[in-house]
Amino acid sequence: MSQRFKDIDYIGVVLWLFRTAIVVVVLWGTISKLFLEQGNAYTTIDWIDFLIAGLSQGSLYALIALGYTLVYGVLFMINFAHGEFFMSGTMTATIFVALPLSSSGFLDANPILGMLIIIIVAMLVSVGVALLTERVAYRPLRRAPRLVPLITAIGASFFWQYFFRGLYGSTLIPFPELQVLVGKWTVFGIEILKTRAVVMVASVIMLIGLYIFIMRTKTGTAIRAVAEDKDIAALMGIDVDRTISITFATGAAMAGAAGILYGMVFRQVHFFMGFVPGIKAFTAAVLGGIGSIPGAALGGLFLGLIEAVGPPLFLEGLGIPGAHQLKDVIAFTMLVLVLIFRPQGIVGERLAEKKA
Amino acid sequence: MSSQLDLRNTARVGLLAGVITLGVSAVGMLESFDKRDLIIGLLTLGQLLLFSAPFAAGFLVTRGEDKVDTGEAVVGGAVAGALTAVPLIALILLTLAAPNIRNSLVNVSPELISLLSLGASEIVGSLLLLVGMAVLGVAGAMFHVLPDAIRKPLISGLGWMLGFAILSEVSLNILRPILGRGLMRALFGTKGITPLLAAIIFVVAIGLTIWWSKGGQQRYEDRKAAMSEEQRKQSRRISIGVGIVSLLILPIILGTYLTEVVDNVGLFILMGLGLNIVVGFAGLLDLGYVAFFAIGAYVMGILTSQGDLGIAGMSFWLALPIAVGAAVLAGVTLGIPVLRMRGDYLAIVTLGFGEIIRVLATSDLLKPYIGGAQGILQIGKPTIFGFEMVKPIHFYYLILAGVGLAVFVASRLRDARLGRQWMALREDEDVAEAMGIHLVSTKLLAFGIGAAFSGLAGAIFSARLSSIFPHSFNLLISINVLSLIIVGGIGSLPGVVVGALVLVGLPELLREFAEYRMLLYGALLIAMMIARPEGLWPSPITKREFHAAEEEEALGGVQ
């Protein structure tokens, strides 16, 4: 017994040192940026731009993160292929709907209707891919050891990535530009790129819609019941398999919509686009507390912010060249740090150790 | 059971086979496989793929019934085969209706359509395809009706012939120095084998199968049973000796190109053995395993490079232990923060580590030290007694030595106390701790030793290529290694070798595969987990475990 306590202390010290080192590095970078003016000089407007870019990117992460959170809630499984659900709908809708609509002029004539059609197609394709994946790769393994579905999820992720690569080619495909959304709006004296504003508003609407769906509708109640206890839920007359499928579909629909918003902001789609946003959205879900919908939203926004503000703030402050290249490192470091020090996330319960 | 043709099932199987073939066509696999001849002038790999779909559909439809009625088999097979053709015909007609479809689906090319419509025009070709696939479906279904005495030789004849044709490059390279030019031309093409060789193999395989079933097997088993204990030991010793000798002379037989392929397989075996300790023995799913490979390679590169980035100009042998040591150190360092993490969270965090290292390697931050995207050049070659190792054959022996060492270490550790501790840890961490297993040191040893093998592989890798670039160290390598140990059999040492041969060796021989490698790996991971989670060559323990799980399920165990 005493041996065990010694271990914990020893590891605890190492982790504590690690944590302190990170805090010191971040503080040092921030201070030298703000007070010693290392690196590029930014005006207040630049900083506001960084913030807004972060928030709009973060709201996309939030939408994708919902899929991880919902599935983790019901199955305690990391759906590694979720980024591919995001990609599949976006690419398909871009190639078969957005590009034709744009070249025929329909999109610019009826931007709202056009975007709605594109988003709905993307959602449908994402949902289709998600349901197929769930049926083939996850459902047969519901009672298998926990690593088994994770491995099939990894397999599914690569399968879809390279399937769509074969289907649509490996080139970057341009997402059409909407004439209406070129330029900036001025809100309270702050200039915002129109696309970013639309992304934020659309995300908030979808997040609220999803929250209402989960908390107020019968199906949402069923999802929560299955998340609580599958066997009891089955006894209460809930079709567990069907509910799990609906959960996957809901997450995938959000991802499909997020994908189109992503295309609008970055103006290009490709077969590999799901991977990094997928991992970052997972980070966001964990950050907020996996299993919790408001947590996913908070985590997404937080991650987006720190990713946008981090490189100019404390990385440049440290005198690191090409700081923006290390944006991904910040996100992955966040993931590692959260899982080590606060696996329950901002609002969630402690899952990483207990239920694992 | 009165067998009644199950129309719904027939339709489902047929259409499923068709949709899968449609997918295979649409991603371009069929067309690219069509460029590879199996039997020259008769059959390409693409055609084999295309025609095996209705055959398999017909076969599956009639499976599982005790006594198959011939008439029913014909009808079922024909329906299933014809339905397989339906999605493909839809694709052909789609290209007629929308000629611009190639702008969106890049691989739906005129060549593909001509392949699908069997060289005829679209409409005629569709009908031909329909009829042809129905016939093949019947052939597949008839396989159940045939008596064993015909079916078994037929299967082995076809199997050997196709297997030989697919791996023709191996025999081509081995036989080229032995056989004369004229004979080679009679037997092999640049890709694939000639109909003559195909016929010879087919006949020989059938002959041997018949001989085996008509007494050969009996005689062999009788003789084996008659051997004394001493003789049996001796025969085992002889076979081990033959194995070692053939490993030693292998590169001489194989020739330069195949030796290079084997070198590649060897490096993956080395990494697989390391990851097998972490994932297979200790049950810690590590997706950032490529990081240690990269560290081994980069340390070797920096220490031995003659270029601008080289700092020490060391010899390979002096740098090797440092590179391995650096990998171990990294393994332990990255292991400490994740000590308390389990299962899938561990997987994601290690994936994060791997990505961090990759991004750092390409970034400007470390560019002055490790070259950024331009990588490190002019890495030193190993020398032995003044003899410089440059050719693949030299590296073959180096890699063989490394793999030999790794197999020895891994197999000894598996049977040692540490191995038992790892397995206990894999089964249940809490129970293992309660049994007095020191979790911290056990886990860190797994990470450290696993990283050592990977670092060794990385060091050899960088010396072999003499230049390294960060893009060689991407996540796909980790997934590759993970796939090969899962396909081979998690926790099984021979499984690692089998997995590496199948997943690394085979795609190198069939370069048409290369582009679809990850697609097939993904599908394979799913298929293996569902159909055969213990792998191709399972270790006895995991095999038992997976069966235990099944038994529990059969007893109605609820979580």
Side-chain angles (χ1 to χ4, degrees):
Chain A
M1 218 41 199
S2 63
Q3 182 66 51
R4 200 195 139 116
F5 280 118
K6 254 186 230 157
D7 280 350
I8 289 175
D9 283 343
Y10 160 67
I11 295 297
V13 168
V14 173
L15 291 182
W16 185 83
L17 283 175
F18 185 49
R19 191 186 332 207
T20 320
I22 296 269
V23 170
V24 167
V25 165
V26 169
L27 278 181
W28 180 32
T30 311
I31 289 168
S32 63
K33 175 80 200 179
L34 293 181
F35 299 104
L36 308 176
E37 287 169 7
Q38 272 266 5
N40 304 336
Y42 296 111
T43 60
T44 319
I45 295 182
D46 289 333
W47 286 112
I48 290 176
D49 269 354
F50 289 140
L51 281 178
I52 289 170
L55 282 177
S56 106
Q57 186 63 24
S59 53
L60 286 181
Y61 290 153
L63 282 182
I64 310 172
L66 286 174
Y68 286 103
T69 272
L70 287 172
V71 167
Y72 199 93
V74 294
L75 286 182
F76 295 113
M77 166 199 154
I78 298 174
N79 178 19
F80 203 86
H82 188 64
E84 269 48 71
F85 302 166
F86 163 84
M87 175 271 296
S88 57
T90 314
M91 280 197 85
T92 310
T94 306
I95 288 174
F96 286 108
V97 186
L99 289 176
L101 282 188
S102 159
S103 59
S104 69
F106 179 87
L107 194 57
D108 281 321
N110 312 290
I112 295 182
L113 182 62
M115 280 313 281
L116 220 53
I117 295 174
I118 297 171
I119 287 186
I120 287 172
V121 171
M123 286 169 122
L124 287 178
V125 174
S126 291
V127 167
V129 169
L131 290 181
L132 192 63
T133 311
E134 195 273 327
R135 183 68 193 82
V136 174
Y138 303 154
R139 193 179 295 179
L141 300 167
R142 201 118 320 142
R143 305 246 178 221
R146 286 195 49 170
L147 283 188
V148 170
L150 181 65
I151 289 168
T152 57
I154 294 170
S157 168
F158 281 90
F159 175 80
W160 286 123
Q161 243 175 56
Y162 284 82
F163 180 78
F164 283 99
R165 177 180 187 261
L167 220 51
Y168 303 137
S170 53
T171 48
L172 293 175
I173 293 157
F175 190 88
E177 184 167 41
L178 270 86
Q179 290 307 321
V180 205
L181 293 182
V182 178
K184 293 178 177 178
W185 277 314
T186 310
V187 184
F188 303 122
I190 302 167
E191 286 194 327
I192 304 181
L193 280 174
K194 287 183 184 173
T195 44
R196 291 209 170 119
V198 170
V199 165
M200 281 189 265
V201 173
S203 306
V204 169
I205 293 173
M206 275 190 277
L207 283 170
I208 293 174
L210 183 87
Y211 193 74
I212 293 172
F213 170 69
I214 297 289
M215 300 318 265
R216 295 271 185 274
T217 65
K218 210 165 181 181
T219 321
T221 314
I223 292 177
R224 282 183 290 134
V226 171
E228 203 62 46
D229 191 321
K230 281 197 261 312
D231 296 322
I232 305 290
L235 289 179
M236 296 293 134
I238 294 171
D239 184 341
V240 174
D241 274 340
R242 207 175 140 251
T243 310
I244 290 175
S245 291
I246 292 174
T247 313
F248 270 90
T250 314
M254 291 288 140
I260 294 300
L261 297 176
Y262 180 96
M264 247 170 61
V265 175
F266 292 95
R267 306 262 341 275
Q268 60 188 25
V269 296
H270 56 106
F271 80 98
F272 201 61
M273 68 185 275
F275 181 71
V276 171
I279 298 201
K280 288 189 183 164
F282 173 75
T283 309
V286 176
L287 200 59
I290 200 157
S292 142
I293 294 170
L298 275 178
L301 290 179
F302 186 67
L303 186 70
L305 274 181
I306 201 160
E307 232 186 47
V309 177
L313 188 63
F314 53 82
L315 289 185
E316 276 189 18
L318 292 171
I320 290 174
H324 62 276
Q325 292 171 337
L326 300 183
K327 202 176 75 175
D328 291 359
V329 171
I330 294 189
F332 294 132
T333 313
M334 281 301 293
L335 172 67
V336 175
L337 291 180
V338 173
L339 284 183
I340 295 169
F341 297 114
R342 204 178 155 80
Q344 70 272 42
I346 300 172
V347 295
E349 49 173 322
R350 200 174 180 80
L351 287 174
E353 290 178 41
K354 291 289 178 218
K355 294 203 180 174
Chain B
M1 190 175 76
S2 72
S3 58
Q4 203 177 5
L5 191 60
D6 183 352
L7 260 180
R8 251 185 88 175
N9 185 42
T10 310
R12 195 172 347 151
V13 171
L15 279 176
L16 193 65
V19 168
I20 291 173
T21 320
L22 178 69
V24 167
S25 317
V27 298
M29 222 191 300
L30 202 60
E31 191 196 330
S32 105
F33 282 12
D34 192 46
K35 299 200 176 96
R36 160 78 197 224
D37 283 319
L38 288 183
I39 302 167
I40 294 163
L42 288 180
L43 186 70
T44 66
L45 188 59
Q47 285 165 337
L48 175 67
L49 199 64
L50 180 62
F51 298 145
S52 54
F55 190 85
F59 184 81
L60 289 175
V61 163
T62 37
R63 199 183 57 171
E65 287 164 34
D66 298 336
K67 253 195 158 36
V68 184
D69 177 64
T70 311
E72 256 174 36
V74 169
V75 175
V79 171
L83 282 174
T84 310
V86 169
L88 300 173
I89 291 172
L91 181 68
I92 297 175
L93 297 181
L94 178 70
T95 58
L96 273 186
N100 284 337
I101 192 77
R102 202 180 174 189
N103 293 342
S104 313
L105 299 174
V106 290
N107 278 312
V108 180
S109 61
E111 289 82 17
L112 174 70
I113 298 305
S114 128
L115 172 66
L116 286 179
S117 44
L118 308 174
S121 74
E122 280 88 349
I123 304 290
V124 180
S126 300
L127 289 176
L128 274 180
L129 189 69
L130 189 71
V131 175
M133 287 204 153
V135 171
L136 281 167
V138 173
M142 292 308 283
F143 240 68
H144 294 283
V145 184
L146 288 177
D148 257 8
I150 302 176
R151 191 168 56 182
K152 274 189 183 161
L154 204 58
I155 291 177
S156 89
L158 284 174
W160 278 100
M161 186 176 75
L162 293 175
F164 203 85
I166 289 172
L167 296 177
S168 70
E169 206 151 351
V170 178
S171 35
L172 176 82
N173 277 293
I174 294 174
L175 292 177
R176 188 182 283 143
I178 305 171
L179 300 178
R181 210 169 224 219
L183 201 51
M184 283 302 288
R185 200 167 297 159
L187 299 179
F188 294 97
T190 42
K191 291 171 177 175
I193 57 178
T194 58
L196 174 68
L197 183 57
I200 295 173
I201 296 168
F202 187 65
V203 171
V204 169
I206 285 185
L208 283 178
T209 316
I210 292 174
W211 172 78
W212 185 250
S213 61
K214 290 250 157 69
Q217 185 179 14
Q218 197 58 47
R219 242 173 293 160
Y220 173 77
E221 270 165 14
D222 287 348
R223 234 175 57 203
K224 212 169 142 194
M227 272 197 291
S228 70
E229 190 60 32
E230 191 55 36
Q231 271 172 320
R232 218 171 282 172
K233 260 187 195 159
Q234 190 163 5
S235 85
R236 197 181 306 149
R237 266 201 294 269
I238 291 173
S239 50
I240 291 176
V242 169
I244 291 175
V245 169
S246 50
L247 272 181
L248 286 177
I249 60 168
L250 193 65
I252 300 164
I253 302 173
L254 288 180
T256 311
Y257 169 64
L258 286 181
T259 306
E260 235 181 297
V261 172
V262 174
D263 283 0
N264 236 335
V265 173
L267 286 179
F268 272 93
I269 293 178
L270 207 47
M271 280 195 275
L273 287 169
L275 188 63
N276 193 36
I277 288 182
V278 185
V279 179
F281 292 173
L284 306 160
L285 186 57
D286 185 347
L287 293 182
Y289 191 62
V290 67
F292 311 121
F293 182 65
I295 287 169
Y298 268 103
V299 170
M300 174 57 80
I302 291 171
L303 290 180
T304 68
S305 170
Q306 308 292 319
D308 302 335
L309 295 168
I311 53 165
M314 278 186 196
S315 78
F316 174 84
W317 300 106
L318 200 59
L320 189 63
I322 303 178
V324 173
V328 172
L329 196 66
V332 174
T333 316
L334 296 188
I336 290 175
V338 298
L339 275 175
R340 294 178 188 166
M341 242 171 255
R342 291 181 189 180
D344 32 17
Y345 276 75
L346 178 71
I348 296 281
V349 168
T350 50
L351 179 102
F353 279 146
E355 286 295 289
I356 290 176
I357 289 200
R358 189 185 58 79
V359 175
L360 283 179
T362 25
S363 73
D364 289 345
L365 172 63
L366 296 178
K367 196 170 179 183
Y369 314 106
I370 61 171
Q374 279 80 43
I376 301 181
L377 308 172
Q378 289 178 290
I379 294 166
K381 295 279 186 193
T383 49
I384 294 183
F385 306 121
F387 173 77
E388 195 173 37
M389 299 169 95
V390 277
K391 286 190 188 158
I393 184 165
H394 305 148
F395 279 97
Y396 173 83
Y397 291 110
L398 185 63
I399 292 169
L400 184 65
V403 170
L405 179 74
V407 168
F408 177 74
V409 170
S411 70
R412 297 305 293 161
L413 282 178
R414 181 190 53 193
D415 300 331
R417 176 189 283 255
L418 184 57
R420 301 295 155 104
Q421 289 177 339
W422 281 333
M423 284 169 214
L425 194 74
R426 179 183 67 193
E427 294 319 314
D428 193 319
E429 241 172 65
D430 296 328
V431 175
E433 193 174 24
M435 301 308 280
I437 292 174
H438 197 270
L439 285 188
V440 174
S441 63
T442 314
K443 277 190 179 183
L444 289 184
L445 274 170
F447 281 122
I449 296 170
F453 290 177
S454 187
L456 177 63
I460 298 177
F461 174 82
S462 81
R464 177 169 161 246
L465 294 184
S466 70
S467 51
I468 46 172
F469 308 99
H471 69 240
S472 321
F473 305 102
N474 54 28
L475 175 74
L476 296 187
I477 305 263
S478 299
I479 301 297
N480 237 320
V481 180
L482 180 70
S483 308
L484 78 87
I485 66 172
I486 284 168
V487 169
I490 234 172
S492 143
L493 298 181
V496 173
V497 179
V498 171
L501 281 175
V502 173
L503 291 193
V504 183
L506 213 55
E508 297 266 357
L509 291 178
L510 290 171
R511 256 150 301 157
E512 291 75 12
F513 264 114
E515 202 178 328
Y516 303 100
R517 202 169 167 160
M518 295 314 292
L519 177 78
L520 295 171
Y521 283 9
L524 204 57
L525 278 187
I526 300 174
M528 286 301 286
M529 281 295 123
I530 291 172
R532 199 177 158 86
E534 72 268 32
L536 291 177
W537 191 321
S539 73
I541 298 175
T542 34
K543 200 173 173 184
R544 220 180 310 147
E545 270 163 27
F546 278 107
H547 282 282
E550 270 161 34
E551 273 160 31
E552 243 169 64
E553 185 125 313
L555 293 171
V558 180
Q559 282 196 327

